[in-house]
Every structure is written in C-alpha cells, then in structure tokens.
Amino acid sequence: MSNEETAVPRLVAIDRRQLILRTVDVEKLVEQEHCVRSIWELVGRLDLRLYYAQIAAVEGSAGREHTDPQLLISLWLYAYSRGISSARELARQCEYEPGCQWLCGLQAISHRTLSGFRSDNKTALDDLFTQVLGMLSAEGLITLERVTLDGTKIKANAGGNTFRGREKIAAHLAAAREQVRVLNQPAEDEEQLAKRQGAAKRRAARQRASRLEAALREVERLQREKVHARKIFVARASSTDPEAHVMRNGEGGTVPSYNVQLVTDTQHGLVVNVEATTDAIDYRQLDPALERCEQKLGRAPRQIVADGDYTNHASVQAAATHGVDFYGSWQESWKPTAGDAQGRSGAFLSSAFPYDATQDVFRCPAGETLRHRAVLNRGHGVRTRVYRAPKEACRTCALREQCAPLGARPAWRRSVTRIEEPSATTAFKAKMQTEEARQIYAQRSRVAEFAHAWIKERCGLRQFRCRGRLKATMEATWACLTYNLMRWFSLRRALQAQPAAIG
Ligand code: SF4
C-alpha cells in the first residue's frame, strides 16, 4: 500500500467552545450608501423636542439615562423598511444585524423600550409625520393638487374567538377585578425577585380588567346605537381588543380588523394622512378624511379621487362644503326591473309613469293626473317628492287590478315618488360623464393600492402588534412614515441618476 493511499488529510479544526475577543470597527459595519445612514441623518434633521420633553432624567439630577429618541425613531424606521414590525424581533436583530448594530453602536436595546416608544407619544409621532411632509412639500414632491382616498383592512391583534356578549364580559370583568384585589395584597416577606414578578402580575391583571371594562362599554354602545332589529340583536365585542370590529378582508374571510384610511398625493404616491377606523365600510369616510387633512396639513387638497364605496350624496356634499373637487364612481341604487315587489309590470311600474316637468305632475295609464302632495327629507339635501292620484279615480278605475297591490283597501290610491337631488350631486354626475374626469378617476387604483401593498408587504403590516384604535393608527403612521422616506430616497436616487443617464 502506498503512502498516498493511507495518508489522512490535515484539516483546520473547528473549536466552538472558545471565546474570542474581536475588534469591530462600528463605522465600517455598513457601507457609506447604506439606507440606515440616510435614515439616521434625516431623523437628525428633525425637531424632536416633543420627544425630549418627555424625558424625566436631565443633566444634574438623579435618574437613569434615557435611550436617545433619535436612535429609537431611526431603529423603527429601519425595521419597518425591512418588514420588521415586532419589537422582540427588532431587539434580537440589534444583536447581530449590521444596520441595527451601527445605529445602536453595538449596545443592546430591550424590546420593552422599543415597543413602549412606538406607541407612547402620538402627538410627537404626528408632529414627526408632519415635519417629513413639510420637507417633501418644500422639495415640491407633495402638492396636494390631487389626492386619492382609499381604505384597507388590517387584522387587529385579537382572535375571532375573543368576541363575547354583555353577560360573559361582565362575568369575566368581575373575575378580573377580584384577581386585581387579591394581587394588590402582597405578602410582607416577599423576596426581591418575587416582588418584581408580583408587580408584573398585578400590572397584567389591571390591564386585563381595563380591557374588559372597555369591552363592556363597547358592547353597550353597539347595543344602544343599533337602529334596526334592536330586540333580536346581540352586541359582541372582543375581550382583548374591544375597539376591533369583525370585517370582511380581501380574501373573502371575516376577521377582527381596523379599516385603515390612506390619503395619498398622486404626484409621487406619497401618503399625506393615515388613520385607523373602526368602521367596516368606507361610505362615511370622505368627510372625516378631508377634515383631518385640513387640521393636520393646514389645507384641504384641491381634488380628491375615491372609489364607488365613498361615492354618495353625503361625500359629494362634504367635498363641496370643503371646497374640494371630488372624482368618484357613482353607483345607481335603482336598476330597471321587469316587475316590482307589488307584482306590477309594464306601463304600471312607477318608473313607466311619464313625468310632466312643466306642471310637476305624473300621468297614469288611465290618463289620470298624479299631483304633488308631500316632501320627505332624506338628509344631505336629498328630498323625495310624493305624487298621488285622486282617490275617487283609483276606486272606480277599470285598470285598478293591474295597478293596485293584492288586497288593497277600497280607499287605496296610487302614489309615485321622485327623488330630488341636491345641485352638487347633479353637477358631480354631469362632471363624471366627461372624458377628463374619467381619466382623473383612472389614476385612483394605481396610486392608492400601491401604498396599501407597500405597507403590508414591505413594512410587514399585515396584522397590528398593538391593541386599540389609537395604537393601531400609530403603527400605521410608522409604516406610512417609512414608506414616505423610502420613496423619497428612491426619488432622490432617480433624480441624481438622471444627468448621468443623459450624459
Ligand atoms: S288605479 Fe289609479 S293610478 Fe292606477 S291606472 Fe287607475 S286611476 Fe290610474
């Protein structure tokens, strides 16, 4: 046997039990063009006084140092840009991910600090969002000339099986209050560790009791506000997130969610306003969205584009009141039918009665005149005008069998109605017939749905981590702020690349 056949190759040994001290140049953890540097630099230009004002530990006084808000803001923006919405995951990544390590200077950050900061100061976060919009506006990237409004359902941090009726919530609440009472009596000889655990248990019990109190209030509100079928309606609310409502999502299922409304500037697809709402339908959302724009941006947009779910008399009126040019898709609730609910057809349908505008009367198939008798106010400037035939004519009419409903009393007489729209609706409908309006409306889906897809897919906002509408709005604001910044960076890159491409 030759030497070559018996020789064992010599390999580098792997020793995983050793401890190694390494030199790390933190500054070189990320390259110069890394987006984390742009985030840090941009956050450094913002006025963070509202965050600093909250810090109790100040120079010359006792107390633990606070983590710098510039760092926490940058960390969250960087996290959302990488699809991380979990505070625990972000804390983990601070231990090994170069971008996070560079931001933290290799210091560890607790997930409690991160999650507390994200949902702690809404006023400061709103101010941050507005400051960024101001910068974008100063660069001409936001003009508010034309915006889109659209809603997207985002799953709440509550399971479908947490929804309960009033009695069950009240029973759980009584048990939770009792638990709080018992936990509030700690034993005197408690060890230090046990004291901390006891405090954590008491905090958790108090939070549970407070969520159940909110759920009870929500159930009572829903029951009170129910208009139709109130006697058989049983209101239910989630015991973990009382403000979340069961909504139909894009996949056709129903899950506890919030309806997040985004107002997006069409020029560069930047989000100018965001709000999580508890209303499952978009029907009533246009007016509040315009009010928020006026309040937070100082003025309403010149034009607003929204889909058929928003297009109704109330929205048209609201847009007119705010002085905003509204573009939508009007869906007529009335559709021509061969027969009505009373079994009438052909010339006996109300819609077949000819209307004489000069005399403001209808004529029936027997040639009788139906005169205006009453006006019903339907709200938002819509009025229903009621016209009735003479009682005697209907009583003796030869065509009565085809005209009257089955079992009509002898005193019955035919009436028809005519809807009188407000002038704003008439003008809106006429405008939407024009080619220019159709082209403006056609922009809607591209602009609005891109932002929705981005915050869900790229920011990882498929489900809220926090509970309650306010905190859900804050989470959505963080995601939209990240979206705006990433879009801004990419617009800048495109702008810088232009001369080179031309050259
Ligand atoms: S029943 Fe009255 S409304 Fe109907 S066709 Fe006769 S007269 Fe006209």
Side-chain angles (χ1 to χ4, degrees), residues 106-400:
L106 294 181
Q107 297 292 318
I109 301 223
S110 104
H111 69 88
R112 283 192 198 288
T113 305
L114 289 164
S115 67
F117 181 80
R118 175 171 56 179
S119 55
D120 189 31
N121 193 339
K122 183 164 189 309
T123 314
L125 179 61
D126 284 347
D127 181 61
L128 210 62
F129 192 80
T130 312
Q131 282 188 55
V132 171
L133 291 185
M135 287 174 158
L136 292 165
S137 181
E139 291 197 15
L141 299 173
I142 288 177
T143 58
L144 291 185
E145 272 298 293
R146 184 179 300 153
V147 299
T148 63
L149 170 65
D150 204 6
T152 186
K153 312 284 175 10
I154 295 181
K155 207 170 166 225
N157 191 349
N161 57 358
T162 61
F163 279 72
R164 320 214 184 287
R166 193 187 178 287
E167 280 71 32
K168 277 215 170 143
I169 292 174
H172 285 303
L173 179 58
R177 280 177 177 157
E178 176 58 18
Q179 195 185 11
V180 171
R181 193 190 64 74
V182 172
L183 287 171
N184 275 340
Q185 299 166 337
E188 297 230 327
D189 56 346
E190 238 178 357
E191 293 290 325
Q192 197 57 31
L193 178 65
K195 265 187 187 164
R196 272 215 298 274
Q197 287 171 343
K201 276 185 186 171
R202 280 193 288 281
R203 193 170 54 241
R206 276 198 305 272
Q207 282 172 355
R208 179 168 158 71
S210 128
R211 277 201 302 271
L212 286 164
E213 278 163 11
L216 197 60
R217 280 197 300 275
E218 181 67 5
V219 160
E220 286 167 352
R221 183 187 71 80
L222 290 172
Q223 196 73 51
R224 221 175 22 249
E225 289 182 2
K226 183 74 181 168
V227 179
H228 304 293
R230 189 184 275 180
K231 283 187 183 154
I232 54 166
F233 174 69
V234 181
R236 289 153 65 84
S238 166
S239 53
T240 49
D241 186 350
E243 287 181 277
H245 284 199
V246 174
M247 298 180 191
R248 192 167 292 281
N249 61 15
E251 288 87 48
T254 51
V255 282
S257 310
Y258 286 97
N259 185 359
V260 178
Q261 300 287 315
L262 298 191
V263 180
T264 312
D265 192 287
T266 55
Q267 197 181 22
H268 290 292
L270 293 157
V271 175
V272 294
N273 186 261
V274 54
E275 184 84 10
T277 68
T278 54
D279 208 343
I281 51 170
D282 297 327
Y283 191 83
R284 292 175 284 260
Q285 294 303 328
L286 193 125
D287 190 22
L290 289 175
E291 261 168 32
R292 285 195 301 274
C293 283
E294 281 180 351
Q295 192 196 338
K296 293 187 177 171
L297 309 173
R299 70 182 172 100
R302 196 172 73 80
Q303 295 178 339
I304 189 162
V305 189
D307 67 19
D309 292 344
Y310 295 85
T311 313
N312 50 57
H313 290 291
S315 297
V316 172
Q317 286 286 102
T321 310
H322 288 275
V324 177
D325 195 7
F326 174 38
Y327 293 82
S329 163
W330 192 277
Q331 286 158 13
E332 291 292 351
S333 53
W334 179 83
K335 296 214 167 45
T337 51
D340 68 8
Q342 313 290 348
R344 294 181 282 237
S345 60
F348 294 91
L349 288 170
S350 298
S351 54
F353 282 28
Y355 174 64
D356 182 347
T358 53
Q359 292 183 46
D360 190 24
V361 293
F362 280 92
R363 297 212 192 277
C364 73
E368 290 293 338
T369 304
L370 282 77
R371 295 193 185 282
H372 174 232
R373 289 286 178 255
V375 178
L376 308 172
N377 205 337
R378 301 291 189 200
H380 308 297
V382 184
R383 299 184 330 156
T384 302
R385 289 172 70 84
V386 184
Y387 299 78
R388 293 201 179 103
K391 213 180 267 184
E392 191 53 30
C394 289
R395 198 175 64 77
T396 56
C397 178
L399 303 172
R400 182 181 165 98

Side-chain angles (χ1 to χ4, degrees), residues 466-486:
C466 307
R467 289 172 179 150
R469 193 185 69 81
L470 192 84
K471 290 185 178 180
T473 298
M474 289 183 77
E475 265 195 81
T477 306
W478 278 108
C480 290
L481 186 56
T482 310
Y483 164 78
N484 280 353
L485 289 186
M486 294 300 120

Side-chain angles (χ1 to χ4, degrees), residues 441-458:
Y441 183 74
Q443 289 186 338
R444 190 205 64 80
S445 61
R446 179 177 52 80
V447 176
E449 283 159 24
F450 180 78
H452 287 169
W454 212 95
I455 63 165
K456 282 183 174 177
E457 298 301 326
R458 297 285 298 277

